[in-house]
Amino acid sequence: MKRMRGSNLILGAALCLAMAPSALAQGNDLSIGRKMLMEDNPGELWIDQGKDLFHQKRGPKNVSLEQCDFGMGSGKLEGAAARLPRYFADTDRVEDLESRLLTCMTRLQGFDRNQLIKDAISAPASRGSDIEALALYVTSRSNGMKVNVSLSHKKEFDMYKAGEYLFYRRSGQTDFGCVQCHGEADKRIRLQDLVHMTSKAGAQEVAASWPAYRGAHYVVRTMQWRLNDCVWQMRLPDLKYATDYSIALTTYLNRQGNDAVMQVPGFKR
Amino acid sequence: MKTTWIKWSASAVTGLMVAGCASYPDQATTRQMAEKMVFEAFDASLAHMKRLEQDRSQQICSKIGDAKLSREEAAEVVKLARASIQYPASGQLTGDWKAGDRLAHDGSGDRIRSGKTEANKQNGALCQNCHALAPGEINVGNVGPPLTGYGKQRGNSEAIVKYTYEKIYNAWAYFPCSNMPRLGATRHLTPEQVTHMVAYLLDPQSPINK
């Protein structure tokens, strides 16, 4: 009985989510300007790089990532990224794409976690890191599919609620939470357009377009990089790679972006 | 058993929604989990970790979603803001508009990368990130209202000087929990720097009033 009660509560909460006013607004298409940019997106090059890395036998254990389970079963990539973050029984954690890659690259291939993290975010104008290329390749296998983050597991729902809390949490000498810059339509910091993430359309834009080619850096960037950069602007300390803080925010944003059609690599300034 | 459960659960769900969806996880649990995440997510010295701690006003001003400030909370934030305001030792609230002009356009200072704080002697004032300043400037944000012509419109009476100083020192003294940072109160700017900002906004010679 206790068990049923738990799932019932979650069902109730999920229904509440479905009814939240922000979820009622309709999504819109990417602007024409963005579409034009994407037709000639240099980030496409990273897809092949990631595909090679995925299938090559690598690491101390000399195996490929073909046995990695991104949530749809070993090696099944179609639609997997569109459902991330999600709960994984083998780690008993909610993982986003980047933490799942870390899990597989350490457990299956035997790579050193600290070294992977050290190399994860590449230098501008470099050939990019393995994780950047792999993250893009895996996500590209959901292109054309709808973002579909489920909160049916208790830990997923907890993660979502924590992410929501963190989105609004203000701290530091600039009193910034995420919502100070991403809570209203048509806002800019200097000339940089700020995505309005408390709208359905804005959250969908985020959920559908990462990893993205970053024009100013000439490399493909992941969500973890983006969060690092925003946190830096907020004058907070260095964000560690793939901690629950990032996973919670990503769960929150991607869930808000449900039903967006995945199209990566996105193309960013 | 199964059908009764479904019945029971359906009514429970309705009950939950009527109760404002506050049932699971309750706010205190979420807060506890999320706060733990904050303090595990950063790699930093103790001094830098301090930046993650919220003061009372920040706690009040972190309302989730459409939740509104209560009247008591707003009053508390204003009271704390008023108490935070320090004036320069000289007592003179208007400084050098040229220094203010430079600071207003400077968005750097005190950011942390690889454990190191930016090496600036003093922090930029960040105004241009959020406000339109002198006429014709293009690279300006719109998170805050335009300040173009601020002094021309308001003059520089003692009351305006005092309001402007206090507004920049702690914006929440006049608008609790607004999106404008409490630049003086959080020590991002010194009282002396705030006087330069006042001069920049109010001096008839300042480009912002041209």
Side-chain angles (χ1 to χ4, degrees):
Chain A
M1 189 61 207
K2 205 169 170 200
R3 218 193 148 94
M4 282 198 250
R5 189 188 202 129
S7 60
N8 178 44
L9 286 174
I10 291 162
L11 175 65
L15 273 173
C16 292
L17 285 176
M19 309 252 313
S22 63
L24 293 176
Q26 280 305 306
N28 67 351
D29 282 339
L30 295 171
S31 69
I32 293 178
R34 291 220 173 190
K35 265 195 187 130
M36 280 166 55
L37 276 174
M38 288 199 334
E39 273 165 21
D40 198 15
N41 187 337
E44 303 278 347
L45 297 173
W46 271 256
I47 297 183
D48 283 342
Q49 196 177 316
K51 186 176 179 183
D52 288 347
L53 286 167
F54 190 86
H55 293 288
Q56 268 166 35
K57 293 189 168 128
R58 291 173 7 102
K61 296 190 185 168
N62 199 35
V63 290
S64 77
L65 283 172
E66 285 157 8
Q67 291 309 307
C68 182
D69 180 359
F70 289 91
M72 313 287 282
S74 293
K76 295 219 171 69
L77 297 186
E78 262 65 43
R83 291 162 190 264
L84 293 175
R86 72 186 290 165
Y87 174 78
F88 289 90
D90 57 4
T91 52
D92 191 30
R93 288 186 64 203
V94 176
E95 295 179 87
D96 63 354
L97 176 60
E98 288 161 88
S99 43
R100 193 62 188 165
L101 276 168
L102 283 176
T103 297
C104 288
M105 293 172 84
T106 51
R107 288 192 177 186
L108 287 175
Q109 296 183 305
F111 281 114
D112 175 52
R113 188 182 163 90
N114 291 334
Q115 193 60 43
L116 288 174
I117 287 176
K118 231 187 201 160
D119 299 336
I121 296 179
S122 66
S126 67
R127 61 177 280 283
S129 76
D130 291 352
I131 286 192
E132 285 163 344
L134 283 163
L136 177 58
Y137 169 64
V138 173
T139 311
S140 73
R141 300 290 298 274
S142 293
N143 275 350
M145 295 175 209
K146 285 187 172 173
V147 176
N148 183 13
V149 174
S150 144
L151 304 178
S152 54
H153 193 280
K154 178 180 176 296
K155 288 198 176 174
E156 291 168 344
F157 192 69
D158 283 347
M159 218 27 135
Y160 171 88
K161 291 304 282 182
E164 179 187 48
Y165 174 95
L166 295 172
F167 191 84
Y168 290 93
R169 183 187 194 274
R170 305 180 78 167
S171 71
Q173 70 211 80
T174 50
D175 292 313
F176 284 145
C178 314
V179 72
Q180 270 58 54
C181 289
H182 297 296
E184 284 175 75
D186 303 320
K187 291 295 179 190
R188 297 186 323 268
I189 286 280
R190 300 201 182 205
L191 283 188
Q192 298 162 38
D193 290 319
L194 298 166
V195 174
H196 176 201
M197 296 176 198
T198 51
S199 77
K200 181 81 179 162
Q204 289 189 322
E205 185 173 345
V206 172
S209 64
W210 290 88
Y213 182 75
R214 165 93 169 160
H217 287 186
Y218 307 103
V219 282
V220 162
R221 292 300 192 202
T222 63
M223 182 56 101
Q224 181 68 52
W225 168 82
R226 185 60 256 176
L227 295 179
N228 279 13
D229 211 59
C230 286
V231 156
W232 172 74
Q233 298 178 55
M234 294 162 85
R235 267 104 182 141
L236 299 183
D238 297 298
L239 186 56
K240 289 195 252 181
Y241 199 82
T243 61
D244 282 349
Y245 176 90
S246 306
I247 297 170
L249 282 165
T250 308
T251 304
Y252 171 65
L253 291 173
N254 285 5
R255 167 70 185 205
Q256 297 298 96
N258 262 5
D259 296 327
V261 177
M262 299 284 299
Q263 191 55 56
V264 299
F267 194 113
K268 312 282 175 183
R269 186 180 63 84
Chain B
M1 165 65 200
K2 205 157 195 179
T3 41
T4 41
W5 177 71
I6 287 168
K7 252 195 199 150
W8 177 79
S9 84
S11 61
V13 165
T14 332
L16 278 171
M17 312 231 301
V18 172
C21 303
S23 303
Y24 178 82
D26 63 80
Q27 278 174 25
T29 310
T30 295
R31 159 183 261 269
Q32 203 179 18
M33 280 189 295
E35 288 293 328
K36 184 159 169 277
M37 290 178 189
V38 170
F39 290 94
E40 288 170 355
F42 295 87
D43 205 356
S45 65
L46 277 179
H48 282 163
M49 289 303 277
K50 279 240 177 289
R51 295 190 186 188
L52 298 164
E53 285 168 20
Q54 293 180 301
D55 67 19
R56 173 76 187 146
S57 305
Q58 287 170 332
Q59 278 172 11
I60 296 173
C61 294
S62 298
K63 290 273 178 229
I64 292 173
D66 297 331
K68 294 269 174 297
L69 272 187
S70 71
R71 197 174 302 190
E72 294 73 30
E73 286 171 328
E76 187 178 353
V77 171
V78 169
K79 194 172 154 208
L80 288 166
R82 293 228 59 87
S84 77
I85 298 173
Q86 290 173 13
Y87 301 89
S90 65
Q92 181 56 254
L93 300 189
T94 319
D96 169 4
W97 70 258
K98 287 186 180 141
D101 190 357
R102 206 167 50 241
L103 285 166
H105 294 85
D106 184 350
S108 73
D110 248 350
R111 288 170 297 197
I112 298 171
R113 187 141 274 168
S114 305
K116 295 212 171 65
T117 316
E118 250 171 313
N120 305 16
K121 284 214 181 67
Q122 53 175 10
N123 294 330
L126 319 177
C127 322
Q128 182 195 8
N129 290 352
C130 297
H131 292 284
L133 302 173
E137 289 182 3
I138 300 202
N139 188 15
V140 295
N142 66 355
V143 172
L147 298 173
T148 314
Y150 182 91
K152 210 152 72 176
Q153 287 152 18
R154 305 187 189 216
N156 51 9
S157 66
E158 210 174 302
I160 290 293
V161 169
K162 184 160 180 290
Y163 162 72
T164 306
Y165 181 91
E166 292 175 345
K167 178 72 195 177
I168 299 167
Y169 196 94
N170 192 330
W172 298 357
Y174 293 95
F175 188 156
C177 303
S178 90
N179 286 345
M180 173 146 162
R182 300 166 296 165
L183 293 163
T186 63
R187 305 270 182 275
H188 186 79
L189 297 180
T190 63
E192 195 198 2
Q193 282 180 309
V194 176
T195 68
H196 300 328
M197 304 323 303
V198 173
Y200 174 65
L201 291 189
L202 295 179
D203 196 306
Q205 294 307 311
S206 164
I208 214 170
N209 295 317
K210 291 294 177 190

